[in-house]
Amino acid sequence: MIRPPAWLALATAAALVTLTPLPAAADGPEQIVNGTFDTGTAPWWSTGNTALEVEDGRLCADIPGGTANPWDVIIGQNDIPLVKDETYEFSFFGIATPGRVAKALVQLPVDPYTQYLSANPELSVSGNDYRYTFTSPVDLPGAQVAFQLGGSATPWRFCVDNVSLKGGAEPDVYEPDTGPRVRVNMVGYLPAGPKNATLVTEGTEPVAWKLRRGGEGGEVVAEGDTVPRGVDGSSGQNVHSIDFGAVTAPGTGYTLEADGETSRPFDIGADVYGELRTDALKFYYTQRSGIPILDELRPGYGRPAGHVGVAPNRGDVEVPCQPGVCDYTLNVKGGWYDAGDHGKYVVNGGISVHQLMSAFERAKADGVHKDGDLDIPESGNGVPDILDEARWEQEFLLSMQVPEGKPYEGMAHHKIHDAAWTGLPLLPHLDPQPRELHPVSTAATLNLAATAAQAARLFAPYDAAFAARNLAAAKKAWAAAKANPARYADPADGVGGGAYNDDNVTDEFYWAAAELYLATGEKEFKDYVLASPHHTGDIWRERGFDWGNTAQLGRLQLASVPSALPDRARVRQSVLEGADKYLAVQKAHPYGVPYNPPDYDWGSNNLVLNNMVVMAVAHDLSGEAKYRDGVLEGLDYIFGRNALNQSYVTGYGEVASKNQHSRWYAHQLDPSLPNPPRGTLAGGPNSAIQDPVAQAKLQGCKPQFCYIDDIESWATNELTINWNSPLSWIASYLDTPAAAPGPCKVAYTNHGQWTGGFTTQVTLTNTGTKAIDGWTLSWSFLGGQSVQRHWSADLGQDGATVTARNLSWNKTIKPGGSVTFGFLGADAPGPNPRPERFLLNGTLCT
């Protein structure tokens, strides 16, 4: 997640001249000098790569191609006074041949180049009039008007006329189009799950509602009365709730009517989220650095490899440190671009790759994640695609570790990105900026330790050498972090990329110790886990967990991954308590959101989803339906049951985010570029509204309204790898069987353990009332263990997952009856705990 400064308008500007600001009045005086170009081009100026001329009474210039950033070509005028709190109208007539999207700015002409107006006019060959208003936050004697025209691969011609800036304007009040006042999950609802909606109304008494199937005039399948909920603090709206959960019939084109309004259409069906898991995970391939994105795999998204050293790229193959930081270079090619920029960050990559690996680890026995299901270059190699995608990032994290013999050996560099900010749009292979490694940090080092320990378990059945490499890196990183426990990222290190500073890494220590304990079973890591205050404290923040708050990752892993941890029962119970906390928040919220702080955070959607991850793990642990229902209702908010009545996932719902902040999914700025791929999550409402677009349009917004689907709103509308990771995790969870126990019970007993091997007996009992006629039982080992010999069943193995099938003589299991089979196994490095997730014919057993 990058937090670009508001000064991305680098310009060759003249020095400020001290002037007395002119008082603005209604229809105030003209601030632009020679905006009609009747007296030539002065006092307009341009960068040295273009020349100004007057043609047909307009100012024109030939804009060169082959530039990278908008500010590489500028036409501007300086010494324009602004008065604080005055509202100005900025207008002009513009032409582009051929058509282009330009940038029009009113800004401070020196560092930090603060923008008071930032607009992106889509210029046409025939020409159009453009008008914008803004309110100046400062008294400034010498602002600058600038047209930024660079960033095009090919040359074009720009003409402008009637440029005007006047005070006394009526401010444009931004009012989002929220559509019908009945807010629903536009993607749909599962037949057996909760079904809730929210009505926005001034009424305080219940009103009637009707559910129709088949559109206007269609069959009424349910009706009832709304439940008034009062004024919702997160939106400022008076709202009612609607519960139509009694309807279970699948169908398409349902609509909900209440108070004279009709909702947007939605479906009810078991497959409403059928493509969400693959779409959310496919996001990562097009975020890859260091590899061409193949158009045949992602039609419309193909592009050359970014940052491989092909001009104008400097490349990530031999990257030096910032001056004075180190005396070596590293090959850090690969990995995922963090967000809509070209930076790569270990702390953000850590939680992202962890959640992908965790989604796989949770569902190993279910067979949900397969080789070939994501259509990536590695498909067909015998490894589930989700692990191949995770490996692309994990290899990058390993490459960020300080090599042997160098200061801080074993620690990880915090990040690598451009030496200076770049503008939008800019495809990765066209980025001309030098790349730099930034100093090591304890937080980054512990992220590496945690993810490498996890990777050591998961990759062991597929690539023992890669697993061993990860375990060695994890232990080395752990030792280096203990030796340097307080090397924090510099909060001022935010030029060219985000700082990602964190001055409390006790949570990262806990998470890393948990992962190392699960991977090794070693006493050092167990003792650290048990002694950490995060192990027993209330870590369930109302605002959820994220890259800077990772104790929750350790707690969730210790609860869900089998181990011999002494107090594991208490740990598992604590997850239920955390989930109950979020369920209580959700129940009290009239929009059904398990997140309700007084102000919404940057990336609030990812925090909502992470709170849902806690609920989902609680469901896995307990089998209680209330937790799964909480997850499903939380998704309603993401997919349209919110104050803005829009889905935050591209391609999902009738109205959905599509202009997320990105340098290459930049259709809003360059029609030849695509919007983000289907399944991309937008960051969501952010009360701090740090960017100029949000500040211009969202002042005074209630939390849910602090969002705008604009590519320049990096504070509310960014996309990031760590926001799609909980979406991917939840979508994977929905793709697996519910945790309600089926009519079966499994006893799994290791009868012997010796160096290199073990023997196990499994007893499968039919606890139902009907005979089981043919059975297939599956489970997964923790790591690289394997079946060598077996008896009384036909056993096969794929990765860590074992599948046992009946023989002809034990095919039928009568009610209350059992079958027993066994096997000899080959051991692998690390512990070999009893599996806890067994599926009989696709249904979970106790």
Side-chain angles (χ1 to χ4, degrees):
M1 169 178 55
I2 290 300
R3 306 188 176 194
W7 42 266
L8 291 185
L10 182 63
T12 53
L16 282 171
V17 178
T18 303
L19 297 174
T20 302
L22 298 174
D27 193 22
E30 178 62 67
Q31 309 285 69
I32 298 293
V33 177
N34 190 25
T36 56
F37 310 104
D38 295 333
T39 59
T41 63
W44 293 87
W45 54 266
S46 66
T47 47
N49 51 1
T50 190
L52 302 181
E53 59 181 336
V54 176
E55 178 183 278
D56 297 329
R58 299 168 181 152
L59 179 71
C60 295
D62 290 318
I63 311 303
T67 58
N69 298 298
W71 54 79
D72 290 340
V73 185
I74 305 175
I75 295 172
Q77 183 175 134
N78 295 331
D79 304 334
I80 297 170
L82 298 178
V83 176
K84 184 181 181 189
D85 298 329
E86 182 58 64
T87 298
Y88 294 88
E89 178 181 294
F90 178 52
S91 60
F92 58 91
F93 175 83
I95 299 175
T97 309
R100 285 287 188 279
V101 177
K103 290 184 73 71
L105 303 167
V106 180
Q107 64 180 13
L108 184 69
V110 295
D111 193 7
Y113 300 99
T114 307
Q115 297 172 358
Y116 310 119
L117 169 70
S118 175
N120 298 293
E122 188 168 344
L123 306 174
S124 68
V125 174
S126 57
N128 297 95
D129 291 305
Y130 302 89
R131 173 189 170 276
Y132 308 96
T133 65
F134 70 98
T135 300
S136 174
V138 294
D139 283 319
L140 184 64
Q144 177 188 87
V145 164
F147 294 98
Q148 294 185 352
L149 308 169
S152 173
T154 57
W156 58 288
R157 187 164 176 81
F158 170 74
C159 292
V160 68
D161 199 4
N162 299 326
V163 185
S164 173
L165 180 68
K166 292 183 178 181
E170 287 293 325
D172 287 333
V173 178
Y174 172 70
E175 292 188 13
D177 180 4
T178 57
R181 291 184 286 107
V182 183
R183 310 289 159 78
V184 298
N185 180 332
M186 289 182 284
V187 173
Y189 301 85
L190 297 181
K195 300 171 188 69
N196 294 281
T198 300
L199 168 68
V200 179
T201 178
E202 295 180 359
T204 57
E205 297 296 324
V207 299
W209 60 262
K210 293 181 179 180
L211 180 68
R212 292 186 186 273
R213 182 166 52 193
E216 185 177 355
E219 175 192 7
V220 176
V221 297
E223 52 190 317
D225 291 330
T226 64
V227 177
R229 300 291 298 273
V231 176
D232 164 42
S234 69
S235 65
Q237 299 167 321
N238 189 74
V239 294
H240 294 198
S241 293
I242 299 172
D243 183 346
F244 56 103
V247 178
T248 60
T252 60
Y254 279 98
T255 55
L256 193 61
E257 299 174 359
D259 201 30
E261 294 276 309
T262 301
S263 75
R264 291 177 174 138
F266 58 90
D267 298 339
I268 296 176
D271 62 346
V272 292
Y273 297 123
E275 298 177 348
L276 180 61
R277 178 182 62 85
T278 53
D279 283 342
L281 286 169
K282 283 182 174 183
F283 163 84
Y284 289 93
Y285 174 54
T286 52
Q287 286 292 117
R288 285 191 189 186
S289 176
I291 187 174
I293 304 305
L294 303 178
D295 201 67
E296 59 264 33
L297 297 182
R298 297 293 184 275
Y301 291 91
R303 58 173 173 80
H307 298 95
V308 292
V310 177
N313 248 199
R314 306 296 180 91
D316 289 350
V317 177
E318 196 174 0
V319 181
C321 285
Q322 286 180 308
V325 170
C326 74
D327 63 355
Y328 52 84
T329 63
L330 290 181
N331 181 349
V332 292
K333 175 185 171 184
W336 299 319
Y337 295 118
D338 173 70
D341 63 286
H342 304 136
K344 299 185 291 189
Y345 307 80
V346 173
V347 294
N348 220 37
I351 188 173
S352 304
V353 75
H354 161 76
Q355 289 193 301
L356 264 62
M357 290 192 291
S358 175
F360 171 76
E361 186 165 29
R362 174 194 169 273
K364 280 191 295 185
D366 303 66
V368 169
H369 299 284
K370 298 180 176 65
D371 180 21
D373 63 357
L374 298 183
D375 295 323
I376 56 178
E378 298 82 4
S379 293
N381 65 355
V383 179
D385 282 1
I386 189 173
L387 281 188
D388 282 323
E389 193 59 70
R391 181 168 181 163
W392 190 261
E393 178 70 4
Q394 188 60 31
E395 292 270 17
F396 160 71
L397 298 182
L398 291 170
S399 75
M400 293 288 279
Q401 193 165 31
V402 175
E404 291 184 12
K406 297 297 182 180
Y408 304 112
E409 175 184 340
M411 295 194 78
H413 287 276
H414 195 70
K415 57 180 182 169
I416 176 260
H417 57 65
D418 292 339
W421 285 107
T422 58
L424 285 74
L426 182 62
L427 288 165
H429 70 287
L430 297 177
D431 175 16
Q433 281 288 326
R435 306 281 275 177
E436 294 178 335
L437 290 167
H438 291 248
V440 298
S441 73
T442 308
T445 304
L446 291 167
N447 270 260
L448 173 59
T451 60
Q454 185 182 17
R457 296 195 302 275
L458 299 182
F459 283 93
Y462 304 101
D463 189 335
F466 183 61
R469 178 182 160 208
N470 272 279
L471 187 57
K475 289 186 172 183
K476 191 169 189 176
W478 173 261
K482 286 201 304 179
N484 301 275
R487 289 198 63 83
Y488 304 132
D490 182 357
D493 186 13
V495 176
Y500 282 99
N501 52 297
D502 181 0
D503 60 2
N504 182 350
V505 295
T506 59
D507 50 332
E508 282 86 358
F509 268 109
Y510 176 66
W511 173 34
E515 294 287 6
L516 279 158
Y517 169 69
L518 293 171
T520 68
E522 293 176 8
K523 183 177 185 299
E524 175 188 359
F525 306 117
K526 178 184 73 174
D527 291 347
Y528 196 98
V529 163
L530 295 175
S532 170
H534 294 293
H535 190 57
T536 54
D538 181 6
I539 59 173
W540 309 114
R541 303 167 68 240
E542 178 188 22
R543 295 177 184 271
F545 64 85
D546 57 11
W547 66 267
N549 299 274
T550 59
Q552 296 85 341
L553 302 181
R555 186 81 67 87
L556 292 171
Q557 288 289 91
L558 291 169
S560 57
V561 178
S563 76
L565 190 71
D567 66 341
R568 189 153 175 260
R570 183 202 59 78
V571 171
R572 290 161 72 92
Q573 180 60 35
S574 77
V575 174
L576 305 188
E577 293 167 358
D580 286 337
K581 177 178 180 177
Y582 297 136
L583 281 177
V585 172
Q586 182 179 58
K587 184 177 181 180
H589 201 301
Y591 275 103
V593 194
Y595 169 90
N596 196 27
D599 57 300
Y600 276 26
D601 299 88
W602 192 311
S604 60
N605 284 342
N606 118 97
L607 299 172
V608 171
L609 283 160
N610 279 330
N611 286 349
M612 290 157 55
V613 168
V614 179
M615 295 180 186
V617 173
H619 179 236
D620 282 345
L621 299 178
S622 69
E624 293 188 48
K626 66 178 181 178
Y627 298 120
R628 184 175 174 85
D629 287 349
V631 171
L632 293 172
E633 187 170 0
L635 283 174
D636 294 347
Y637 169 81
I638 298 295
F639 291 118
R641 185 191 170 199
N642 53 56
L644 289 168
N645 197 9
Q646 70 145 85
S647 166
Y648 289 111
V649 179
T650 303
Y652 280 78
E654 187 176 280
V655 177
S657 299
K658 62 181 181 180
N659 294 311
Q660 288 95 320
H661 178 78
S662 170
R663 282 162 175 74
W664 56 100
Y665 312 128
H667 185 78
Q668 187 179 354
L669 299 179
D670 182 346
S672 70
L673 295 176
N675 290 119
R678 190 170 191 260
T680 301
L681 180 72
N686 171 14
S687 297
I689 58 170
Q690 290 95 332
D691 62 79
V693 171
Q695 290 171 352
K697 297 187 176 183
L698 304 178
Q699 288 293 337
C701 56
K702 291 291 185 180
Q704 279 204 59
F705 282 102
C706 296
Y707 172 83
I708 184 169
D709 184 26
D710 189 294
I711 195 169
E712 298 283 6
S713 184
W714 35 263
T716 78
N717 200 36
E718 198 169 13
L719 53 83
T720 78
I721 56 175
N722 67 304
W723 295 347
N724 251 63
S725 59
L727 178 65
S728 300
W729 196 104
I730 288 294
S732 172
Y733 161 81
L734 293 176
D735 236 4
T736 58
C744 50
K745 182 173 66 175
V746 175
Y748 180 103
T749 307
N750 281 337
H751 282 295
Q753 185 91 26
W754 58 90
T755 301
F758 59 96
T759 180
T760 297
Q761 178 176 292
V762 181
T763 299
L764 169 62
T765 301
N766 181 355
T767 60
T769 59
K770 297 180 179 179
I772 297 172
D773 185 21
W775 52 269
T776 299
L777 185 72
S778 60
W779 69 89
S780 291
F781 293 128
L782 179 73
Q785 296 82 8
S786 61
V787 172
Q788 300 297 300
R789 293 173 53 198
H790 51 86
W791 53 89
S792 300
D794 183 16
L795 268 66
Q797 186 170 351
D798 182 8
T801 300
V802 180
T803 302
R805 294 179 173 85
N806 65 267
L807 300 178
S808 59
W809 57 269
N810 60 4
K811 176 182 178 183
T812 302
I813 311 175
K814 295 179 180 180
S818 300
V819 296
T820 298
F821 60 91
F823 63 91
L824 293 176
D827 212 349
N832 182 24
R834 179 176 60 85
E836 295 174 349
R837 189 175 177 89
F838 295 88
L839 282 87
L840 174 64
N841 298 337
T843 300
L844 282 167
C845 292
T846 56

